[in-house]
Amino acid sequence: MARATTNAPTAAPTAAQVIARGLHAAGCRHAFGMPGGEVLSVMDALVEAGIAFHLIKHENPGGYMAEGAYHMTGAPGILLATLGPGMANAVNVIANAEQERVPLVYLTGCVDPAEALGYTHQVFDHRAVLAPVTKATFMAEDGAVDTLIGRALTIATEGRPGPVHIDLPVSLATKAQPNARAPVIARAAPAAPAEGPALAAARAALARARRPILIAGAELLFRGTAEMGTAEVGAAEAVAAFARDFTIPVVTTYKAKGVLPEDDPLALGAAGLSPRADAQILPLIETADLIVLAGYDPIEMRHAWCDPWDPDRVPVIEFTAAPNPHGVHRVSHGFAGDIGAGLAALRDGIAPQATWSNGAPAETKRALAAAFPADEPWGPAAIVEEVRQALPEHGVATVDSGAHRILLSQIWRCARPRTLLQSSALGSMGCALPLAIGAKLAAPEVPVVAFTGDAGLEMVLGELATLRDLALPVVVVVFVDASLALIELKQRGTGLANVGVDFGETDFAAVARALGGHGIDVKTRSELRQAVEDGLAADSFTVIAAHIDRGSYDGRF
Ligand SMILES: Cc1ncc(C[n+]2csc(CCOP(=O)(O)OP(=O)(O)O)c2C)c(N)n1
Ligand SMILES: [Mg+2]
């Protein structure tokens, strides 16, 4: 149990100050939100505690910014909204944090419970709305605000992280809490597998394996902070070392791209949404004689990954951050806790053997490269390839939902983990731009590019003005096809009439200039390359409108 320390001044802090100081003590330095009269004291307390408050244009993208900052720092994200309409605006991003396993503290104001009995304007039950999409939702209580913030941080970060909501009544926010103590973050160290029959059987399976395969997922990337005593445990590095030492090919989910550098011969790229990739990867898994799941959470995967192997036929050894009651796949032996320690226990005393004498993984890697060619003169794959070449290895890319995301996730090469951010579980549009803003804000030295479809950008266009206000030189690449390409593709594929999927072409470059950034239209590889290089070196944001034909994704994934 870690007790965070604060330099508490002598006067009793208010409830808002107790919450703000607790968040600061946990390592949080950025909060995003839109105030209303009911949360002014909370905003004030955050700033006083040393947490920068960033005004956004819409609460929902504000939550994605908080997530972007979390990926860069490990500190839980903070989103602040006022009651009623403000609170309701962020429901999507709270559901996203729940599905994407993002520790997020959602602070909202509310009218005092006694007043709410006889007052109706903007009043509804915030907690009832958020209950299904949060790990916990609390109403702050006088005298227990210190306990509450400690619990909220504990719940948000333990096991499988997620969002926690705190509703803070207006008059309690400014009420002194004379007995408040520094919050206790009650987090037990994640367990290593215990010696016993399950571990012995798993070790025997590894010793026997000649065609092992490993599937790596998002749980390898969970982060924490030194302040909370939950800094990283190095699970991604443990997976990479295990794969190399035992010559085990690695498939990742979209979120876990880069756990093994994707140019490594053992890296078979990412799976999840593309039937074309599944057609190469699933048959290889069929022929494996051992499947190791490392931090693999199937919430990112489509139907083809439901019950994809039979543990009665092939041993399946699973290491997860927390017990996994999802029922999406079956395993022979499951170990919940410290994934790196789990792999260490698995391999302990086992001598690596030669694997895959038939060369099948190398053949799969070749077939995957052939299935997703990028050597076109111009088009979505050319755009992805050019930007990849312009963005340094440590640069961070974000990508929105749509046809462009599926193609990009298959062909974008990650040399490091956590360098491609997206909403791959909820799969929400409107995430790429704000994720990029949060990442750049929290790690200004890292070059950041956001990829988005045109409809996705139109959903959050106002946040370009946030980029202006924060003076962040993020490069935004928008695939302009005047179409909901992914949905149009499905509509056409099922023989339905063309309805509700096409729209007019926006002059995004002009919009960017109007909002204080740079804007440029590109239609060739060389124009794009130059624009990205200029954008990364610029002092304000750049929107690059990359024009492609409608129907550009036909037959691609
Ligand atoms: C918030 C939200 N609304 C709707 C969807 C369904 N949806 C998924 S992709 C997509 C089309 C996105 O169009 P665009 O941003 O232009 O990207 P493109 O498919 O053209 O690459 C839609 C409507 C979603 N995932 N999220
Ligand atoms: Mg589009």
Side-chain angles (χ1 to χ4, degrees):
M1 295 233 284
R3 182 174 287 278
T5 52
T6 50
N7 297 322
T10 38
T14 63
Q17 286 171 328
V18 171
I19 289 172
R21 290 173 193 175
L23 291 167
H24 185 270
C28 302
R29 295 294 180 270
H30 298 282
F32 300 84
M34 168 76 72
E38 296 74 13
V39 293
L40 286 172
S41 56
V42 183
M43 192 168 59
D44 190 65
L46 288 169
V47 174
E48 184 208 64
I51 297 173
F53 182 81
H54 308 293
L55 173 63
I56 44 69
K57 307 299 167 192
H58 187 295
E59 291 80 355
N60 205 61
Y64 287 102
M65 291 179 213
E67 177 185 343
Y70 156 70
H71 289 302
M72 295 297 112
T73 65
I78 306 173
L79 177 63
L80 175 68
T82 194
L83 83 184
M87 159 3 248
N89 246 2
V91 171
N92 161 288
V93 79
I94 302 303
N96 189 78
E98 199 274 330
Q99 296 232 309
E100 313 288 329
R101 321 310 193 191
V102 177
L104 183 70
V105 177
Y106 186 26
L107 302 172
T108 59
C110 61
V111 300
D112 297 341
E115 189 186 356
L117 289 171
Y119 180 70
T120 49
H121 178 66
Q122 294 186 317
V123 174
F124 58 90
D125 187 344
H126 294 172
R127 297 184 57 207
V129 172
L130 293 173
V133 289
T134 48
K135 282 183 87 177
T137 150
F138 294 101
M139 171 75 77
E141 298 277 351
D142 193 11
V145 182
D146 50 351
T147 308
L148 169 61
I149 189 62
R151 252 187 101 176
L153 284 164
T154 302
I155 295 169
T157 55
E158 59 83 36
R160 203 158 279 125
V164 175
H165 168 236
I166 297 177
D167 223 8
L168 184 56
V170 178
S171 59
L172 175 56
T174 52
K175 191 161 183 210
Q177 301 293 298
N179 301 317
R181 305 193 318 160
V184 174
I185 299 166
R187 197 163 137 167
E195 290 296 335
L199 188 56
R203 277 205 199 112
L206 176 63
R208 273 196 312 273
R210 296 297 178 270
R211 295 184 310 283
I213 195 159
L214 187 145
I215 304 172
E219 295 183 2
L220 299 172
L221 306 175
F222 289 167
R223 303 195 74 169
T225 63
E227 289 89 339
M228 287 188 288
T230 56
E232 258 152 276
V233 287
E237 292 76 7
V239 164
F242 176 59
R244 288 195 177 115
D245 293 348
F246 285 76
T247 327
I248 303 180
V250 175
V251 175
T252 72
T253 67
Y254 286 177
K255 267 197 200 311
K257 277 171 74 74
V259 161
L260 192 63
E262 288 188 297
D263 59 0
D264 190 300
L266 290 169
L268 299 183
L273 297 187
S274 162
R276 201 171 249 249
D278 289 348
Q280 302 300 332
I281 291 169
L282 288 170
L284 182 71
I285 293 175
E286 275 280 301
T287 67
D289 64 359
L290 172 68
I291 300 171
V292 179
L293 308 176
Y296 169 66
D297 182 340
I299 198 162
E300 290 184 74
M301 316 304 271
R302 283 256 173 88
H303 288 102
W305 291 79
C306 291
D307 207 19
W309 42 71
D310 179 358
D312 291 334
R313 211 181 49 74
V314 57
V316 183
I317 306 169
E318 177 170 70
F319 298 96
T320 50
N324 227 345
H326 53 63
V328 178
H329 60 243
R330 292 172 293 151
V331 305
S332 317
H333 306 290
F335 304 96
D338 183 331
I339 298 169
L343 287 172
L346 175 69
R347 62 183 290 180
D348 185 32
I350 310 289
Q353 304 287 331
T355 64
W356 293 98
S357 58
N358 63 359
E363 186 45 46
T364 302
K365 194 169 168 81
R366 269 193 298 278
L368 281 165
F372 296 97
D375 56 355
E376 61 189 358
W378 183 246
I383 293 167
V384 172
E385 189 180 66
E386 280 303 322
V387 179
R388 177 65 283 187
Q389 282 166 21
L391 186 68
E393 267 189 8
H394 71 290
V396 167
T398 67
V399 64
D400 218 67
S401 262
H404 65 284
R405 173 168 81 98
I406 304 180
L407 185 67
L408 182 142
S409 297
Q410 295 301 146
I411 62 183
W412 183 260
R413 294 277 162 265
C414 290
R416 307 177 188 190
R418 234 179 257 112
T419 51
L420 178 63
L421 308 180
Q422 56 179 289
S423 167
S424 45
L426 189 68
S428 183
M429 291 167 70
C431 67
L433 172 60
L435 280 171
I437 295 174
K440 185 72 184 169
L441 191 63
E445 70 289 356
V446 175
V448 178
V449 173
F451 289 96
T452 173
D454 40 6
L457 183 56
E458 285 174 352
M459 230 178 226
V460 291
L461 217 38
E463 303 308 332
L464 290 176
T466 305
L467 269 181
R468 172 203 62 208
D469 293 345
L470 297 173
L472 296 173
V474 166
V475 174
V476 181
V477 177
V478 49
F479 295 81
V480 183
D481 54 11
S483 162
L484 305 176
L486 185 64
I487 310 305
E488 190 277 335
L489 203 59
K490 283 185 193 159
Q491 188 180 59
R492 192 155 32 95
T494 43
L496 289 163
N498 177 285
V499 180
V501 291
D502 293 347
F503 48 93
E505 196 168 303
T506 296
D507 185 349
F508 289 105
V511 171
R513 287 192 289 271
L515 292 174
H518 306 286
I520 182 162
D521 291 284
V522 300
K523 287 182 178 155
T524 67
R525 279 179 178 257
S526 57
E527 288 169 357
L528 171 61
R529 184 67 172 265
Q530 191 60 50
V532 175
E533 284 168 8
D534 292 349
L536 290 174
D539 51 1
S540 60
F541 77 88
T542 302
V543 173
I544 302 173
H547 296 263
I548 55 175
D549 294 335
R550 277 203 178 118
S552 285
Y553 299 93
D554 287 13
R556 297 254 198 183
F557 47 75

